[in-house]
Amino acid sequence: MNLFDCHTHLDEYPKEEISLIMDRAAEVGVAGAIAAGTTLDSSSLCVELSESDPRIFAGIGIHPMDIDGSVKEDTYQTLRSLAKNPRVVTISEVGLDGIDGAPDRQIQEDVLRSHIHIAQEFKLPIIFHAR
C-alpha cells in the first residue's frame, strides 16, 4: 500500500535536501506529499518545489498566525494566480487560531473567507487549521 502525506512543510528544508527527503519517504511507502504554504513566500516556494519534483504537490495560503492584517487585494490576486497552477491541489493551512498573541479574530475570519472564495473559485479543498 502506498501512502500520501497531505501536510508537510518541505519548504522549510534546504532545496538540495528535498529530493533526498522524498527518496527516504518512498523507501517506507510514501508515494508523495503536499507542501503546505503558510505565507505568500512559502506558498510560492511550495509551488516551485511541486514543479521540480513530480512527487510533490502544493498547497497555498496564509496561516492564521502569519496574518499581519486584512488580506489586501494584491495579496488576494497573488494567491489566485498561484492557485491557477495545476500543481496546486489545496488551499493550505488556513483557519482560525485562538492561542495567546493570535491576530484579531475578526481579521482571521475575514482572511479565512478570502481563502474560502479562492477554494470555491478553483474547486480546491482546504487544509484547515484550528487551535
Side-chain angles (χ1 to χ4, degrees), residues 106-122:
Q106 185 61 54
I107 292 173
Q108 289 187 57
E109 290 175 7
D110 292 344
V111 171
L112 177 58
R113 280 188 199 89
S114 295
H115 284 95
I116 291 170
H117 291 302
I118 295 169
Q120 289 174 323
E121 179 179 353
F122 292 94

Side-chain angles (χ1 to χ4, degrees), residues 70-115:
S70 297
V71 171
K72 296 176 180 59
E73 186 60 28
D74 60 329
T75 300
Y76 182 73
Q77 291 305 324
T78 299
L79 288 170
R80 285 186 74 252
S81 179
L82 289 170
K84 292 175 184 176
N85 188 303
R87 302 295 300 171
V88 172
V89 296
T90 189
I91 301 299
S92 68
E93 206 165 359
V94 300
L96 303 171
D97 202 315
I99 195 170
D100 287 341
D104 177 77
R105 180 66 171 225
Q106 185 61 54
I107 292 173
Q108 289 187 57
E109 290 175 7
D110 292 344
V111 171
L112 177 58
R113 280 188 199 89
S114 295
H115 284 95

Side-chain angles (χ1 to χ4, degrees), residues 8-92:
T8 70
H9 293 289
L10 289 170
D11 58 297
E12 295 178 6
Y13 293 89
K15 285 184 181 181
E16 60 275 4
E17 289 184 26
I18 303 299
S19 183
L20 299 171
I21 291 169
M22 294 306 296
D23 290 345
R24 287 193 303 274
E27 289 172 7
V28 295
V30 179
I34 295 173
T38 58
T39 65
L40 280 183
D41 288 341
S42 73
S43 293
S44 294
L45 183 52
C46 289
V47 172
E48 285 179 36
L49 291 174
S50 73
E51 292 173 332
S52 68
D53 189 319
R55 301 170 291 185
I56 300 172
F57 294 87
I60 60 164
I62 301 171
H63 189 283
M65 292 303 291
D66 290 311
I67 296 169
D68 60 5
S70 297
V71 171
K72 296 176 180 59
E73 186 60 28
D74 60 329
T75 300
Y76 182 73
Q77 291 305 324
T78 299
L79 288 170
R80 285 186 74 252
S81 179
L82 289 170
K84 292 175 184 176
N85 188 303
R87 302 295 300 171
V88 172
V89 296
T90 189
I91 301 299
S92 68

